[in-house]
Amino acid sequence: MSCIQQKKKQVLSPALIALLQAVVNLGTVNTKALARYLGRCSTTIDTEFKRIYALTDAHSRLEAVIYALRVGWIQLTPLDENPIEPVDKDRHDNGLEAPVCGAGRKEKREGGWR
């Protein structure tokens, strides 16, 4: 059994596959562009790529995309068949950025951490 056949059994989550498909749809690996397109935080995008690297033994975003194409997790589609629209179209149309990162973090305020 080849290396690709062995790894194909270890399928990525839908969110990770959507990230790799977004790379193909947008034609970029830029974190901020992917975050805006998917409606996620840029740190989430970086974390998801780290998870993809661990699951696929890839060492770069391009290598992960090529691997996903080879095993059939994502596909190349002509742009006219797959229009590029952000997941959260309303936020994008109103000029809003991706979600605020770290919204649940504690902030240091006068008198200590809260």
Side-chain angles (χ1 to χ4, degrees):
M1 191 180 298
S2 75
C3 180
I4 288 180
Q5 288 173 333
Q6 288 175 342
K7 290 207 182 264
K8 191 170 181 178
K9 293 178 182 177
Q10 193 172 23
V11 178
L12 301 179
S13 71
L16 298 180
I17 291 173
L19 174 58
L20 292 172
Q21 187 65 55
V23 170
V24 172
N25 293 352
L26 293 176
T28 185
V29 293
N30 180 278
T31 301
K32 288 183 181 180
L34 292 168
R36 196 173 304 116
Y37 178 76
L38 294 169
R40 299 180 191 159
C41 177
S42 59
T43 54
T44 300
I45 299 297
D46 290 334
T47 301
E48 288 177 338
F49 271 115
K50 289 177 186 175
R51 291 178 58 211
I52 291 169
Y53 298 155
L55 293 170
T56 63
D57 290 332
H59 299 288
S60 70
R61 294 177 180 198
L62 179 59
E63 189 178 345
V65 168
I66 291 170
Y67 179 82
L69 286 166
R70 285 186 178 169
V71 297
W73 292 336
I74 61 174
Q75 57 186 344
L76 291 175
T77 55
L79 288 178
D80 56 343
E81 290 180 20
N82 190 7
I84 299 173
E85 288 189 16
V87 172
D88 194 344
K89 192 168 178 356
D90 292 332
R91 285 184 63 83
H92 184 268
D93 289 345
N94 293 326
L96 301 174
E97 294 295 321
V100 177
C101 298
R105 293 184 187 163
K106 293 182 178 180
E107 297 178 13
K108 187 173 182 179
R109 297 185 182 161
E110 195 174 317
W113 292 93
R114 293 183 187 182

